[in-house]
Each structure stands twice: as structure tokens, then as C-alpha cells.
Amino acid sequence: GSSGAYTSIQAALDAAVSGDTILVAPGLYAETIDFLGKDVALLADAGGGPATHVIDPQAGPGVETGPVVPLTGGVGPGAILEGFTITGGLGGSPASASLNGTGGLCVDGSPTIRDCHIVSNQGGSGAAPWLTEPGHGGVGGLSVSGGSPVIEACEFRDNVGGNAGTPPLNPSGCAVGEYAGGAGGAHSGNATITDCVFSGNRGGAGYKAIVSSPGPFWPGSCETVQADHGPGALRVNGGTIDGCVLSDNIGGSGTGPIRAPGGILAGSLT
């Protein structure tokens, strides 16, 4: 692809082709960035790593919503993100309408994310306007919807999952529905996550209500029952989690740090 200096990371990604390597100078980059489906290596240059290479879209004059870094479009193992702090992400609402509800990074492909700090990102709310279908809360740090990404030696800190939406009242006056709260740290998909640290993340509150004991002449009673609250650190529904350390992660409504309906928890996960 093209060589030379660019005024933004996104300008360099726009000019790149698969197989290119982009070296990024230390600095604060007030932008969101999109790999545009390209297998490009985006690397922090000149030492310092995440401490000196920060991507924060809220550092600019406006407020941007959506993930700071979407790694989508089926990117492959040649897509690499290494040595950055990803912060300031504000997921859109209603969060489950698309990957736009994730705060930090959303992945649909098989990139490698290495030595990055995913810090202080907020998943979108599942709330929606009246008569519009609400949804699940968005993930704060990183969500994986497809592919088999590799996440190595990263730190997930102080990310917050979005709360689930509440549906409109039905004719009997009950807001019937079931929506999950967003994970604070990461929703793993089929990722391999190794040697990462999860600390201080908070999951979003889930929502579930049912109509119980309806009869032929009465509508039944509306009950709010145990909801799928977002875990503080990890929702593991596939892949492998190995050698990671967890501390001070709290799920929605005070629940736990991990929810693992699938996947493999291995090694020294603590």
C-alpha cells in the first residue's frame, strides 16, 4: 500500500491494503478507527505501548457513540492491534440493534489483539423509544460476535456493561420480556483469551418479567423474576479463557464476575 505520514490513524487505514503494517507514533488520538475488513497490522511504535498510545474518541470536540475499534468484515489473523489504550467508547442504544452497542472493541473475524488496555468504556443501554423493541445491554470492553480472535496480554479495567431494556406494557399492564445485561469486561464468543487481567469492571442489570397464573376470566399477575444480569468480567459462551486474573469485578445487581454457559475456563483463571 501507500507509504508516508498521515494525520490520523484512520487516514492510514484508509490508504492501507491487506498485508501492510502501520506504525503509530506516541500520542492521544481523538477518533474511532475501523480496519475496513483489511488484514493490516496496526502497531504502537517507539516504545511506551498503551501508556503512550491512546485512542479516545471523546478527547475531541464532540461526543461519538459506537465502538472505538470495530474489527469486523471477516478480518483474518493478519489483522493485528498491538500496544494501545482503547478508552472513551460509548455504545449506542438500543444496544442489541447491532454491534454499535459495544463500547470498546467489537469483533467479527479472527484478528489478534495483543498488549492493549481496554479501559473505561461504556456499553449502550438496551432501552428503546416507546413501541420500539428494546434489547440486551451492550458490552463495555470487548464483544465477539463471529470468527476466532486471539486476545493476548491485555488489560480490561473499569468498563461498564449496559443495562437491559424494558419492553412496553402489554394490554394487561405487564412489561413482558427477557433481556440480558451487558458484560462489563468481555463477551468472549469463540475467542482465545490468554494472560489477561480483568479488574474493576461492572456488568449491566438484566430484565425479565412474566405473566403467571392467567385464567379464563383474569389476566394473571405480573412477576419480575430472576434476570440474566451482565457479569462483571466475562460472559463465556465459547472459546478458551486461560491464565487470566480477575479482581473486583461485579455483575449487574450485585451478581458475579463470570457467566459461563459455554466455552473452556482453563489454567490459572482466578
Side-chain angles (χ1 to χ4, degrees), residues 161-189:
N163 293 329
T166 303
L169 299 177
N170 68 10
S172 63
C174 186
V176 177
E178 179 177 3
Y179 301 99
H187 186 134
S188 72

Side-chain angles (χ1 to χ4, degrees), residues 94-250:
S96 59
S98 70
L99 289 172
N100 190 56
T102 301
L105 299 98
C106 63
V107 178
D108 183 8
S110 301
T112 295
I113 301 167
R114 181 185 300 121
D115 187 28
C116 287
H117 293 180
I118 297 95
V119 179
S120 298
N121 300 285
Q122 168 75 55
S125 167
W130 180 250
L131 297 181
T132 299
E133 182 70 15
H136 308 301
V139 178
L142 177 145
S143 66
V144 178
S145 64
S148 300
V150 174
I151 295 97
E152 300 174 336
C154 290
E155 180 177 334
F156 295 81
R157 186 176 74 250
D158 298 331
N159 301 289
V160 180
N163 293 329
T166 303
L169 299 177
N170 68 10
S172 63
C174 186
V176 177
E178 179 177 3
Y179 301 99
H187 186 134
S188 72
N190 197 42
T192 298
I193 302 177
T194 58
D195 300 326
C196 291
V197 174
F198 293 81
S199 66
N201 301 289
R202 300 291 181 266
Y207 177 86
K208 183 176 182 179
I210 61 172
V211 174
S212 66
S213 304
F217 303 109
W218 59 89
S221 59
C222 185
E223 293 187 24
T224 301
V225 294
Q226 181 61 46
D228 185 3
H229 299 299
L234 280 161
R235 186 183 295 275
V236 183
N237 61 328
T240 300
I241 316 298
D242 190 8
C244 295
V245 176
L246 281 59
S247 65
D248 191 31
N249 301 282
I250 300 175

